């Protein structure tokens, strides 16, 4: 992969996840400052996940059909920016619902389209997904730490201007993304439904959804949960950043890991570590040292898990189905799974309390580990595309 191509793709990932690092840790706190209840926040935050069920598949189909991924990445980034601009006038539930629905409908589609673009470039250049994706992790770290201090200094409403600025920058960078050529593949004549009906694919998607269900609770409510236990926004930002720093470390080691362990083994181990992580988050919220330890496990519950899952998806969804495959993975895992975690989490927090809710969340990755262990059978245990190999 050329230096210019690597730079353009990495820069886009950095800014996209810079937006995520500003939104995920602090948007729940902003909604709480607007006097929304936990159940209301659960509904509003879950719009981001619910939109992933349908929207990415539409854009993924358009990208595969037209073979112009960059055009649709640019379109979703612009519409996401346009939808967010109305947030300054949204204070009641219904207005906030409409604004966040518009934002999530388009912004949630930008990532799977970008993933398919990156994977298409990597397939023809023998590049490394992890080396590009880790720049997204750096973007998340910088934003989560920076916003922790900015919102402490200037108030939580400053978050709105910051996110608007980042979305403007993200849209500008779409004009620097190079289009990828996807050569014909032997499976191009297959229906995508034929791929989806395979038991192994179903097991993969359901297992991933179970992991993300637990994370849906964390993404929507972990900052609120920490604030209620007396942590400052600055400390909350550092806790989020620690998890992503460890995620970067695992991304850098993925080429080594994936040449020594089967993809199925990586997925199951990551899910079981998720059981430990969410149990600790629920049981010991007032012990900072143990929370720090739990955050280091993000390296596995997201980093190694996501890297292995993306590689398995590329093994099943090839050729002209590549963008649709990434969209389906995002729709089922991050759409259905994330929405389930966010919605159930909002009501559970309101009626069961934070500690019991986070402890019960550990049951979802446990169920996911069982499903993957019994149902996922890979003919090629290691990365076949060279994306993670040396």
């Amino acid at each position: 992969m050329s230096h210019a191509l690597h730079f353009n793709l990495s820069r886009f990932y950095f800014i996209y996840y810079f937006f995520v690092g500003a939104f995920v840790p602090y948007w729940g706190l902003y909604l709480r400052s607007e006097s929304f209840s936990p159940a209301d926040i659960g509904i509003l935050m879950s719009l981001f996940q619910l939109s992933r069920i349908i929207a990415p598949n539409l854009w993924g189909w358009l990208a595969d059909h037209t073979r112009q991924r960059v055009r649709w990445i640019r379109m979703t980034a612009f519409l996401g920016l346009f939808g967010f601009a109305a947030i300054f006038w949204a204070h009641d539930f219904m207005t906030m619902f409409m604004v966040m629905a518009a934002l999530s409908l388009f912004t949630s589609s930008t990532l799977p389209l970008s993933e398919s673009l990156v994977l298409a470039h990597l397939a023809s250049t023998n590049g490394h997904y992890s080396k590009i994706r880790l720049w997204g992790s750096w973007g998340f770290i910088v934003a989560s730490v920076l916003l922790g201090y900015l919102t402490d200094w200037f108030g939580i409403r400053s978050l709105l201007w910051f996110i608007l600025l980042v979305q403007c920058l993200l849209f500008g960078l779409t004009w620097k993304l190079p289009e990828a050529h996807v050569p014909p593949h032997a499976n191009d004549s297959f229906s995508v439904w034929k791929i989806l009906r395979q038991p192994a694919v179903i097991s993969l998607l359901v297992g991933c959804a179970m992991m993300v269900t637990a994370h849906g609770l964390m993404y929507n409510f972990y900052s609120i949960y920490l604030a209620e236990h007396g942590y400052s926004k600055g400390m909350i930002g550092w806790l989020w950043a620690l998890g992503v720093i460890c995620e970067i470390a695992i991304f850098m080691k993925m080429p080594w890991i994936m040449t020594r362990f089967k993809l199925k083994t990586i997925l199951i181990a990551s899910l079981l570590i998720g059981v430990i992580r969410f149990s600790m988050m629920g049981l010991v919220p007032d012990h900072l040292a143990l929370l720090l330890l739990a955050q280091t496990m993000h390296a596995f519950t997201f980093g190694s898990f996501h890297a292995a899952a993306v590689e398995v998806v590329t093994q099943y969804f090839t050729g002209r189905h590549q963008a649709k495959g990434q969209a389906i993975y995002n729709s089922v895992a991050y759409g259905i799974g994330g929405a389930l975690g966010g919605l159930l989490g909002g009501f559970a927090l309101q009626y069961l309390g934070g500690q019991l809710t986070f402890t019960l969340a550990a049951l979802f990755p446990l169920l996911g580990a069982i499903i993957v262990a019994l149902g996922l059978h890979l003919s090629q245990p290691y990365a076949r595309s060279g994306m993670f190999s040396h």
Side-chain angles (χ1 to χ4, degrees), residues 122-159:
L122 294 175
S124 60
T125 61
N126 198 32
H128 301 275
Y129 171 81
S130 56
K131 290 183 178 180
I132 293 174
R133 177 58 182 80
L134 67 84
W135 282 102
S137 302
W138 281 118
F140 188 102
I141 290 169
V142 173
S144 62
V145 172
L146 180 62
L147 262 294
Y149 291 109
L150 285 178
T151 53
D152 268 337
W153 294 335
F154 301 109
I156 194 66
R157 194 167 175 81
S158 62
L159 178 68

Side-chain angles (χ1 to χ4, degrees), residues 6 36 112 124 133 139 160 168 245 311 317 319 328 333 351 355 369 381:
H6 186 277
F36 292 108
S124 60
R133 177 58 182 80
L160 305 184
C168 290
I245 289 170
E311 172 61 19
F317 295 89
I328 291 168
Y351 297 107
Q355 288 191 250

Side-chain angles (χ1 to χ4, degrees), residues 154-233:
F154 301 109
I156 194 66
R157 194 167 175 81
S158 62
L159 178 68
L160 305 184
W161 293 101
F162 196 87
I163 291 179
L164 182 65
L165 176 64
V166 173
Q167 285 195 299
C168 290
L169 182 57
L170 182 70
F171 172 64
L173 289 178
T174 63
W175 296 90
K176 297 293 186 179
L177 292 177
E179 189 57 79
H181 171 67
V182 180
H185 193 276
N187 290 345
D188 282 354
S189 59
F190 291 176
S191 166
V192 70
W193 296 109
K194 183 178 292 186
I195 301 172
L196 277 173
R197 286 197 299 267
Q198 298 180 57
V201 174
I202 295 172
S203 297
L204 170 70
L205 295 176
V206 174
C208 290
M210 291 297 98
M211 176 71 102
V212 180
T213 296
H215 283 73
L217 168 69
M218 184 187 76
Y219 294 147
N220 288 6
F221 294 105
Y222 192 45
S223 293
I224 296 174
Y225 178 59
L226 291 172
E228 289 176 346
H229 282 269
Y231 295 95
S232 69
K233 294 185 182 70

